[in-house]
Amino acid sequence: MGDTKIVIQFAIISRILIVLLQLVSNYLIPDHDANVFISPKSPTLNGSACHSLVEKCFSGFRRWDGEYFLHVAEHGYTYENMLVFYPLFPFCVRYITNLGQTIIGTNCEFRDLALIIAIALNTVFFTKAALVLYQLTMEIFNDRSMARIVTTLFCFNPASIFFTAPYSESLFCWLSFSVMLYCARGRIGAAVLPLATGICCRSNGLLNFGFILYYVTRDIWTNGKTNWMHFFKSFLKVLLCAIVAGAAFGVVQAYFYSLYCENDTFEMSEAVKNYGIVKKYLLAGERKADWCSYPLPFSYSYLQSHYWNVGFMKYYEFKQIPNFVLASPILIMIIYHSIQFIMANPTIALRLGLLQPKSNVQIVKFNLFVYTVHAFALSIFCLFFVHIQVSTRMLASSTPYIYWLCAQYFQREMQRNSWKAFLQPRSRITKFIKGWFLGYFVIGTVLFCNFLPWT
């Protein structure tokens, strides 16, 4: 059986396990009253067989931020605080759900069908991400056993629940890894589409432009210093990518601006409107938002600070120690190895990974430089600026670096089938990695689907 088929099988099996874990734990454990946002139900929501089935089998996925994504899919951006959830994923769910209702009729309410569609989409996106990660690993390391271990780790990664629940992690991961793969292969033009759509998916999608800038700069450094035509073509590629990236970001911001700075009417149900009034949310069409008067009227930073208390070291509170502990494995792993990489490869670091070495051993490290810097920068940002508990899912969906680091430990002791290396670790560190990945895979799912802290 080819590696591609095995990767697909692993990805799908891992998603089935998540669904089953959710089903069992949601049935056995009563939901915690987390006092968080719950999308208001329509008074017309019926007690159909579809509704009962979805509630019994999949309601554990409708938790935490998943409520926001599904609300946007069903009702749009009715409340100002929802603008931090970018539109690509919820709009995909909306349009496919509408199509599904057209085909099967309205026996299944939008709310119920949207949840099923979101889970199905994320299964597809996750499988796509696993395949691209396999290809990217082959491109960087040229090592099939390494690629196999990496994709096995990815399929059972510690943020797995967020790759199946109605979050944008799977879609963003697929798009981000695609940008990296196209850049590594020198296909800068092909990277434009996943770059632009990734920006419409998550706010940190703009960072992926750095890979395009880096790879084009490296190409110019290698081939364009004495070839002005090559330099000019490379410059045009970067300019085109920058324009497309800026346009994608601008479209999202313009859409948000039109809703909360220009639009004085927004159709919403009475249930949605009344819920927003009770919660004291700013409703779309109610009045101009405060950030509309900013010189650059971008909503994201304002909303993160105003609604979510996100800012430099704002999360450094005694009560958040358990969340710091939960985030510590991935942060320590990336930060420690990033610093170690830079110290062990000062020549590559000082040359910013632009001057290709002649040694085959150094070529892999040369190729790793940009991913190391990217992962390190994201980790430092998580450590000081975000709600620390989101670090695991943010890093697991944004960078392949954590999977490469962990896979290298397994590869060092591997003397058997590479697909099974993850199941039979030998050293303490590989046993810890296996325990961390599988432990978070199981515990995270159980906690998440019962509204217990795991966001």
Side-chain angles (χ1 to χ4, degrees):
M1 183 181 296
D3 284 359
T4 297
K5 291 184 178 179
I6 297 178
V7 170
I8 293 173
Q9 285 186 354
F10 271 42
I12 294 175
I13 289 171
S14 68
R15 297 312 92 192
I16 292 173
L17 289 175
I18 288 287
V19 172
L20 293 176
L21 274 171
Q22 173 271 153
L23 176 64
V24 173
S25 56
N26 194 39
Y27 176 77
L28 295 177
I29 303 172
D31 288 345
H32 171 64
D33 183 8
N35 192 29
V36 293
F37 173 77
I38 303 292
S39 182
K41 296 181 181 180
S42 169
T44 61
L45 188 65
N46 58 42
S48 66
C50 176
H51 178 69
S52 299
L53 180 64
V54 171
E55 283 295 305
K56 289 179 180 178
C57 297
F58 304 108
S59 62
F61 288 115
R62 190 186 288 275
R63 301 290 185 257
W64 301 106
D65 289 357
E67 285 278 4
Y68 289 98
F69 281 111
L70 291 173
H71 180 93
V72 172
E74 184 175 6
H75 303 289
Y77 287 94
T78 57
Y79 312 134
E80 181 192 34
N81 60 335
M82 293 186 168
L83 298 182
V84 298
F85 303 99
Y86 276 31
L88 182 62
F89 176 71
F91 282 8
C92 285
V93 174
R94 171 190 289 184
Y95 295 126
I96 296 177
T97 303
N98 285 334
L99 178 62
Q101 284 196 312
T102 301
I103 295 173
I104 67 174
T106 57
N107 292 328
C108 199
E109 292 278 351
F110 187 102
R111 178 185 179 91
D112 299 319
L113 186 57
L115 178 57
I116 297 173
I117 293 297
I119 296 169
L121 278 177
N122 275 342
T123 300
V124 174
F125 295 148
F126 182 83
T127 304
K128 291 283 190 180
L131 289 170
V132 174
L133 178 59
Y134 179 91
Q135 296 169 335
L136 178 61
T137 305
M138 286 294 297
E139 195 69 32
I140 300 300
F141 293 89
N142 193 29
D143 187 329
R144 180 169 293 178
S145 65
M146 176 75 170
R148 290 171 173 174
I149 300 172
V150 165
T151 49
T152 303
L153 288 166
F154 177 72
C155 288
F156 297 93
N157 75 73
S160 281
I161 180 60
F162 302 106
F163 287 83
T164 304
Y167 280 56
S168 59
E169 262 67 13
S170 285
L171 176 56
F172 183 74
C173 188
W174 172 38
L175 296 172
S176 296
F177 289 174
S178 296
V179 172
M180 299 172 195
L181 176 63
Y182 286 131
C183 288
R185 290 177 171 176
R187 298 178 58 193
I188 302 302
V192 172
L193 180 59
L195 172 67
T197 49
I199 291 170
C200 297
C201 184
R202 289 260 289 272
S203 60
N204 60 318
L206 274 171
L207 290 178
N208 290 331
F209 177 71
F211 286 96
I212 291 176
L213 184 62
Y214 170 80
Y215 274 98
V216 171
T217 302
R218 195 170 81 170
D219 178 58
I220 291 174
W221 187 269
T222 304
N223 304 308
K225 289 187 292 185
T226 57
N227 186 333
W228 286 102
M229 182 56 69
H230 185 88
F231 175 87
F232 181 69
K233 289 180 179 179
S234 298
F235 174 77
L236 287 180
K237 288 180 182 178
V238 173
L239 181 61
L240 174 63
C241 291
I243 291 173
V244 172
F249 179 77
V251 166
V252 173
Q253 298 306 316
Y255 174 64
F256 291 163
Y257 185 90
S258 69
L259 290 178
Y260 283 87
C261 302
E262 294 181 336
N263 186 29
D264 57 0
T265 58
F266 191 98
E267 293 185 6
M268 65 183 78
S269 68
E270 285 299 315
V272 171
K273 184 177 181 180
N274 292 336
Y275 184 90
I277 293 172
V278 171
K279 292 291 185 178
K280 298 181 179 179
Y281 295 145
L282 175 61
L283 307 181
E286 182 180 355
R287 63 172 175 83
K288 282 190 175 182
D290 294 342
W291 49 269
C292 295
S293 59
Y294 288 2
L296 291 175
F298 299 151
S299 59
Y300 192 81
S301 297
Y302 168 82
L303 297 175
Q304 287 284 17
S305 176
H306 183 74
Y307 288 102
W308 311 98
N309 192 35
V310 171
F312 180 65
M313 296 188 72
K314 284 187 176 181
Y315 218 59
Y316 279 67
E317 301 174 317
F318 183 79
K319 65 181 181 181
Q320 301 299 343
I321 288 178
N323 286 323
F324 276 85
V325 173
L326 287 174
S328 61
I330 197 166
L331 290 174
I332 292 173
M333 180 75 75
I334 291 179
I335 293 173
Y336 170 77
H337 283 89
S338 298
I339 294 174
Q340 187 182 58
F341 177 89
I342 298 300
M343 294 179 65
N345 302 279
T347 302
I348 293 175
L350 288 173
R351 294 174 177 176
L352 301 179
L354 297 176
L355 189 60
Q356 184 170 349
K358 298 179 180 179
S359 167
N360 289 332
V361 176
Q362 289 293 314
I363 286 178
V364 172
K365 296 178 180 178
F366 165 73
N367 289 333
L368 275 175
F369 175 78
V370 65
Y371 300 94
T372 304
V373 173
H374 175 249
F376 179 76
L378 282 176
S379 299
I380 295 300
F381 180 78
C382 288
L383 186 60
F384 291 109
F385 287 95
V386 305
H387 289 185
I388 198 68
Q389 67 266 32
V390 310
S391 300
T392 302
R393 65 180 173 94
M394 180 176 176
L395 292 166
S397 62
S398 301
T399 172
Y401 194 66
I402 184 61
Y403 307 111
W404 291 343
L405 290 178
C406 294
Q408 287 177 326
Y409 281 106
F410 285 94
Q411 196 177 39
R412 290 170 192 169
E413 62 182 48
M414 186 186 69
Q415 295 179 352
R416 52 196 178 279
N417 189 318
S418 54
W419 294 112
K420 298 179 181 178
F422 178 65
L423 299 177
Q424 298 175 327
R426 293 179 178 180
S427 65
R428 290 183 178 179
I429 183 64
T430 51
K431 289 178 180 178
F432 167 78
I433 292 171
K434 176 186 174 182
W436 168 33
F437 274 56
L438 293 184
Y440 277 42
F441 183 96
V442 175
I443 296 172
T445 302
V446 172
L447 294 179
F448 176 92
C449 71
N450 290 289
F451 263 129
L452 291 164
W454 196 270
T455 61

